[in-house]
Amino acid sequence: MRTLLNTLYVQTQGSYLRLENDNVRVDVEGARVAMLPLHHLDGVVVFGNVLISPYLIQRLGREHKPVTWLTESGRFTARTETPMSGNVLLRVAQHAASGDPARTLAVARYIAAGKLQNQKAALLRSARDAAEADQPILREAARDVNGQIGCLPLAGTVDEVRGIEGTAARAYFGAFSHTLRVNRDFFWLGERTRRPARDPINAVLNYAYTLLAGDCAGACQQVGLDPQVGFLHALRPGRASLALDLMEELRAVIADRAVITLINRSQLTPRDFILHAGGSVTISEDGRRTLIKHLQERKQETVKHSLTGRDTPLGLIAHVQARLLAQHLRGDRPHYPPYLHR
Amino acid sequence: MIDLLICYDVNTETSAGRKRLRRVAKVCVAHGQRVQNSVFEVSVNDVQLLALRDQLLREMDPSEDSVRIYRLRQPRDKFVEAFGRDGYRDLSAPLIL
């Protein structure tokens, strides 16, 4: 298989990248930390305060290797447009696929399958750690989610896929509270509510999803996909549907897991939430900081990607998936392989 | 990709020789990683190998210098043992700095 990731990611704040003898030279605080021959790279992604010399930007541009600038937290800001980028063909392929009901359905089905599979794995994982009384409830929910996976091949339209996904989500979130071991009287998820969140779990889940959606939008942009043209999510002005599609497989793995861990470790406690009159709940600034720090640390953890078999940092899974989707849309892959968490 | 080991001996008795040494080293740096003073590990495709060989032949003086190109067996980590200070970086793995 073609090498999937030979993109250079620089997230060390204050690094300086420059061109030296057909190499990218990376300096941190005046000391050289890497010399990377250009022919190994197909692009450079920098986070936050990273300096790139104009000569390097121009050389990368001339060789059709895009530079992407993201904020330190990973939100997309800019990307170089190279003289002959595959963008237009990829985007045309993406738009053509989104206009073709059969292809849209196929992609949506794989995304949903990945999501349900990861939800099931997350429930079973929680069941292993849970108190004895909660274990059967979690296993039962995992069985229900698993049952919905079997229904996916029968779905004839994207709406039916969304319905199956919704049924599974009800089973998943119905059992969600049972994954928590502490502060149970405070943290209790009734139903998913957004804008405004009606209980603390919804508040913290919504915030984690926002961060994750930003990461996924950055991944789409970096690969050259149009983040607003999605498959599982309906098109709507201003909505990054494709970023939300990519996020589906990662919600249970990254966001939900982080919330469960933080609550169970008592790092998020009732004091981190503000209850407003009228029943809405928001997460306090301290609570947000705890969550962001945990998510950033979690992104450094490596997992073995189910398809490439490579050790990949969790934070790069969205980039890998965007690339795999791009390969499918261009016709290099017969179907889109979703990310399956072990 | 083809993995190569390149080592060279350039006669540095004359200033022309020292100049050749610098230029040969530069060609190698442009294509791969310096693993020892005059030893490089390079991973290139067929076209890049032709260019690399051509450039090396142009810079060296066949009557004074010697350049050797060895092919490394893949997978590299199975056939290359390195001890001591080693700055080798696997360039096909995700690069995050």
Side-chain angles (χ1 to χ4, degrees), chain B residues 28-94:
Chain B
C28 294
V29 171
H31 289 85
Q33 306 185 56
R34 181 174 235 142
V35 289
Q36 284 181 2
N37 276 339
S38 48
V39 180
F40 285 80
E41 279 194 34
V42 170
S43 126
V44 287
N45 60 28
D46 307 352
V47 180
Q48 287 160 342
L49 174 56
L50 290 178
L52 169 64
R53 191 187 285 130
D54 181 57
Q55 284 174 32
L56 283 173
L57 288 175
R58 234 183 302 146
E59 300 300 349
M60 71 182 288
D61 178 349
S63 61
E64 300 266 337
D65 313 331
S66 137
V67 172
R68 304 183 73 90
I69 301 179
Y70 299 87
R71 285 208 181 199
L72 294 177
R73 249 183 102 174
Q74 281 172 321
R76 177 193 175 276
D77 48 351
K78 214 167 174 180
F79 297 101
V80 177
E81 282 189 271
F83 304 101
R85 272 173 54 102
D86 188 27
Y88 180 82
R89 185 193 291 272
D90 182 1
L91 293 171
S92 59

Side-chain angles (χ1 to χ4, degrees), chain A residues 229-249:
Chain A
V229 177
F231 297 92
L232 183 58
H233 286 82
L235 304 186
R236 193 189 289 168
R239 171 150 91 174
S241 301
L242 186 65
L244 297 178
D245 283 1
L246 276 186
M247 182 163 80
E248 289 299 348
E249 297 144 41

Side-chain angles (χ1 to χ4, degrees), chain A residues 9 11-12 21 23 39-40, chain B residues 26 29 31 43 95-97:
Chain A
Y9 292 86
Q11 45 190 355
T12 310
N21 195 9
N23 279 235
H39 70 255
H40 284 284
Chain B
K26 222 171 163 179
V29 171
H31 289 85
S43 126
L95 296 166
I96 304 156
L97 298 173

